[in-house]
PDB file of all heavy atoms in Angstrom:
ATOM      1  N   THR K  78      -2.435  -3.681  -4.534  1.00 97.00           N
ATOM      2  CA  THR K  78      -1.483  -4.158  -5.527  1.00 97.00           C
ATOM      3  C   THR K  78      -1.002  -2.978  -6.427  1.00 97.00           C
ATOM      4  O   THR K  78      -1.771  -1.999  -6.657  1.00 97.00           O
ATOM      5  CB  THR K  78      -2.117  -5.239  -6.438  1.00 97.00           C
ATOM      6  OG1 THR K  78      -3.286  -4.830  -7.025  1.00 97.00           O
ATOM      7  CG2 THR K  78      -2.380  -6.547  -5.612  1.00 97.00           C
ATOM      8  N   LEU K  79       0.160  -3.156  -6.929  1.00 96.00           N
ATOM      9  CA  LEU K  79       0.723  -2.290  -7.952  1.00 96.00           C
ATOM     10  C   LEU K  79       1.205  -3.164  -9.012  1.00 96.00           C
ATOM     11  O   LEU K  79       2.324  -3.667  -8.997  1.00 96.00           O
ATOM     12  CB  LEU K  79       1.800  -1.346  -7.301  1.00 96.00           C
ATOM     13  CG  LEU K  79       2.403  -0.365  -8.268  1.00 96.00           C
ATOM     14  CD1 LEU K  79       1.400   0.675  -8.723  1.00 96.00           C
ATOM     15  CD2 LEU K  79       3.605   0.311  -7.594  1.00 96.00           C
ATOM     16  N   LEU K  80       0.400  -3.317 -10.050  1.00 97.00           N
ATOM     17  CA  LEU K  80       0.623  -4.337 -11.084  1.00 97.00           C
ATOM     18  C   LEU K  80       1.305  -3.591 -12.352  1.00 97.00           C
ATOM     19  O   LEU K  80       0.659  -2.698 -12.936  1.00 97.00           O
ATOM     20  CB  LEU K  80      -0.664  -4.980 -11.549  1.00 97.00           C
ATOM     21  CG  LEU K  80      -1.339  -5.759 -10.452  1.00 97.00           C
ATOM     22  CD1 LEU K  80      -2.669  -6.399 -10.983  1.00 97.00           C
ATOM     23  CD2 LEU K  80      -0.543  -6.896  -9.893  1.00 97.00           C
ATOM     24  N   PRO K  81       2.464  -3.993 -12.687  1.00 94.00           N
ATOM     25  CA  PRO K  81       3.169  -3.387 -13.827  1.00 94.00           C
ATOM     26  C   PRO K  81       2.468  -3.766 -15.113  1.00 94.00           C
ATOM     27  O   PRO K  81       1.897  -4.826 -15.288  1.00 94.00           O
ATOM     28  CB  PRO K  81       4.536  -3.992 -13.817  1.00 94.00           C
ATOM     29  CG  PRO K  81       4.448  -5.327 -13.051  1.00 94.00           C
ATOM     30  CD  PRO K  81       3.332  -5.101 -12.090  1.00 94.00           C
ATOM     31  N   GLY K  82       2.460  -2.879 -16.135  1.00 91.00           N
ATOM     32  CA  GLY K  82       1.963  -3.094 -17.409  1.00 91.00           C
ATOM     33  C   GLY K  82       2.788  -2.484 -18.450  1.00 91.00           C
ATOM     34  O   GLY K  82       3.781  -1.734 -18.182  1.00 91.00           O
ATOM     35  N   PRO K  83       2.354  -2.676 -19.764  1.00 90.00           N
ATOM     36  CA  PRO K  83       3.291  -2.133 -20.803  1.00 90.00           C
ATOM     37  C   PRO K  83       3.301  -0.634 -20.914  1.00 90.00           C
ATOM     38  O   PRO K  83       4.285  -0.045 -21.297  1.00 90.00           O
ATOM     39  CB  PRO K  83       2.616  -2.772 -22.060  1.00 90.00           C
ATOM     40  CG  PRO K  83       1.272  -3.161 -21.634  1.00 90.00           C
ATOM     41  CD  PRO K  83       1.284  -3.397 -20.269  1.00 90.00           C
ATOM     42  N   ASP K  84       2.231   0.088 -20.451  1.00 89.00           N
ATOM     43  CA  ASP K  84       2.192   1.507 -20.541  1.00 89.00           C
ATOM     44  C   ASP K  84       1.824   2.125 -19.253  1.00 89.00           C
ATOM     45  O   ASP K  84       1.143   3.123 -19.123  1.00 89.00           O
ATOM     46  CB  ASP K  84       1.246   1.973 -21.598  1.00 89.00           C
ATOM     47  CG  ASP K  84      -0.207   1.385 -21.419  1.00 89.00           C
ATOM     48  OD1 ASP K  84      -0.293   0.202 -20.912  1.00 89.00           O
ATOM     49  OD2 ASP K  84      -1.202   1.956 -21.825  1.00 89.00           O
ATOM     50  N   GLY K  85       2.454   1.620 -18.171  1.00 92.00           N
ATOM     51  CA  GLY K  85       2.279   2.108 -16.785  1.00 92.00           C
ATOM     52  C   GLY K  85       1.890   1.037 -15.864  1.00 92.00           C
ATOM     53  O   GLY K  85       1.951  -0.168 -16.203  1.00 92.00           O
ATOM     54  N   ALA K  86       1.546   1.364 -14.677  1.00 96.00           N
ATOM     55  CA  ALA K  86       1.105   0.367 -13.613  1.00 96.00           C
ATOM     56  C   ALA K  86      -0.278   0.577 -13.160  1.00 96.00           C
ATOM     57  O   ALA K  86      -0.658   1.754 -13.109  1.00 96.00           O
ATOM     58  CB  ALA K  86       2.084   0.423 -12.505  1.00 96.00           C
ATOM     59  N   GLU K  87      -0.978  -0.442 -12.775  1.00 97.00           N
ATOM     60  CA  GLU K  87      -2.319  -0.375 -12.196  1.00 97.00           C
ATOM     61  C   GLU K  87      -2.235  -0.471 -10.717  1.00 97.00           C
ATOM     62  O   GLU K  87      -1.731  -1.403 -10.194  1.00 97.00           O
ATOM     63  CB  GLU K  87      -3.191  -1.483 -12.724  1.00 97.00           C
ATOM     64  CG  GLU K  87      -3.565  -1.401 -14.140  1.00 97.00           C
ATOM     65  CD  GLU K  87      -4.620  -0.288 -14.495  1.00 97.00           C
ATOM     66  OE1 GLU K  87      -5.422   0.017 -13.564  1.00 97.00           O
ATOM     67  OE2 GLU K  87      -4.451   0.317 -15.555  1.00 97.00           O
ATOM     68  N   LEU K  88      -2.675   0.623 -10.071  1.00 97.00           N
ATOM     69  CA  LEU K  88      -2.718   0.710  -8.669  1.00 97.00           C
ATOM     70  C   LEU K  88      -4.078   0.529  -8.086  1.00 97.00           C
ATOM     71  O   LEU K  88      -4.999   1.174  -8.621  1.00 97.00           O
ATOM     72  CB  LEU K  88      -2.115   2.043  -8.160  1.00 97.00           C
ATOM     73  CG  LEU K  88      -1.951   2.192  -6.633  1.00 97.00           C
ATOM     74  CD1 LEU K  88      -0.777   3.101  -6.422  1.00 97.00           C
ATOM     75  CD2 LEU K  88      -3.175   2.706  -6.001  1.00 97.00           C
ATOM     76  N   THR K  89      -4.292  -0.489  -7.183  1.00 97.00           N
ATOM     77  CA  THR K  89      -5.571  -0.653  -6.591  1.00 97.00           C
ATOM     78  C   THR K  89      -5.311  -0.818  -5.085  1.00 97.00           C
ATOM     79  O   THR K  89      -4.593  -1.679  -4.676  1.00 97.00           O
ATOM     80  CB  THR K  89      -6.226  -2.071  -7.123  1.00 97.00           C
ATOM     81  OG1 THR K  89      -6.358  -1.862  -8.583  1.00 97.00           O
ATOM     82  CG2 THR K  89      -7.603  -2.154  -6.550  1.00 97.00           C
ATOM     83  N   ALA K  90      -6.010   0.029  -4.259  1.00 97.00           N
ATOM     84  CA  ALA K  90      -5.685  -0.062  -2.813  1.00 97.00           C
ATOM     85  C   ALA K  90      -7.041   0.042  -2.077  1.00 97.00           C
ATOM     86  O   ALA K  90      -7.786   0.961  -2.318  1.00 97.00           O
ATOM     87  CB  ALA K  90      -4.663   1.027  -2.427  1.00 97.00           C
ATOM     88  N   HIS K  91      -7.166  -0.799  -1.173  1.00 97.00           N
ATOM     89  CA  HIS K  91      -8.242  -0.663  -0.192  1.00 97.00           C
ATOM     90  C   HIS K  91      -7.930   0.269   0.905  1.00 97.00           C
ATOM     91  O   HIS K  91      -6.832   0.099   1.550  1.00 97.00           O
ATOM     92  CB  HIS K  91      -8.690  -2.042   0.408  1.00 97.00           C
ATOM     93  CG  HIS K  91      -9.149  -3.019  -0.667  1.00 97.00           C
ATOM     94  ND1 HIS K  91     -10.379  -3.029  -1.203  1.00 97.00           N
ATOM     95  CD2 HIS K  91      -8.537  -3.996  -1.398  1.00 97.00           C
ATOM     96  CE1 HIS K  91     -10.576  -3.924  -2.043  1.00 97.00           C
ATOM     97  NE2 HIS K  91      -9.403  -4.533  -2.202  1.00 97.00           N
ATOM     98  N   ILE K  92      -8.724   1.304   1.164  1.00 95.00           N
ATOM     99  CA  ILE K  92      -8.400   2.271   2.086  1.00 95.00           C
ATOM    100  C   ILE K  92      -9.367   2.071   3.278  1.00 95.00           C
ATOM    101  O   ILE K  92     -10.575   1.988   3.130  1.00 95.00           O
ATOM    102  CB  ILE K  92      -8.672   3.678   1.489  1.00 95.00           C
ATOM    103  CG1 ILE K  92      -7.945   3.850   0.154  1.00 95.00           C
ATOM    104  CG2 ILE K  92      -8.287   4.765   2.547  1.00 95.00           C
ATOM    105  CD1 ILE K  92      -6.376   3.717   0.247  1.00 95.00           C
ATOM    106  N   THR K  93      -8.802   1.861   4.449  1.00 93.00           N
ATOM    107  CA  THR K  93      -9.592   1.583   5.721  1.00 93.00           C
ATOM    108  C   THR K  93      -9.154   2.543   6.870  1.00 93.00           C
ATOM    109  O   THR K  93      -7.951   2.893   6.950  1.00 93.00           O
ATOM    110  CB  THR K  93      -9.440   0.116   6.127  1.00 93.00           C
ATOM    111  OG1 THR K  93      -8.038  -0.162   6.392  1.00 93.00           O
ATOM    112  CG2 THR K  93      -9.853  -0.820   5.067  1.00 93.00           C
ATOM    113  N   ALA K  94     -10.060   2.778   7.692  1.00 83.00           N
ATOM    114  CA  ALA K  94      -9.801   3.652   8.854  1.00 83.00           C
ATOM    115  C   ALA K  94      -8.981   2.858   9.862  1.00 83.00           C
ATOM    116  O   ALA K  94      -8.500   3.520  10.799  1.00 83.00           O
ATOM    117  CB  ALA K  94     -11.119   4.121   9.452  1.00 83.00           C
ATOM    118  N   GLY K  95      -8.908   1.564   9.813  1.00 63.00           N
ATOM    119  CA  GLY K  95      -8.180   0.765  10.745  1.00 63.00           C
ATOM    120  C   GLY K  95      -8.758   0.919  12.158  1.00 63.00           C
ATOM    121  O   GLY K  95      -9.916   0.623  12.347  1.00 63.00           O
ATOM    122  N   ASN K  96      -7.966   1.241  13.105  1.00 53.00           N
ATOM    123  CA  ASN K  96      -8.421   1.377  14.472  1.00 53.00           C
ATOM    124  C   ASN K  96      -8.841   2.752  14.805  1.00 53.00           C
ATOM    125  O   ASN K  96      -8.732   3.290  15.906  1.00 53.00           O
ATOM    126  CB  ASN K  96      -7.291   0.945  15.450  1.00 53.00           C
ATOM    127  CG  ASN K  96      -7.003  -0.537  15.285  1.00 53.00           C
ATOM    128  OD1 ASN K  96      -7.904  -1.366  14.851  1.00 53.00           O
ATOM    129  ND2 ASN K  96      -5.792  -0.914  15.515  1.00 53.00           N
TER     130      ASN K  96
END
Side-chain angles (χ1 to χ4, degrees):
T78 57
L79 182 64
L80 300 173
D84 52 331
E87 287 292 323
L88 186 148
T89 304
H91 296 278
I92 309 299
T93 59
N96 295 332

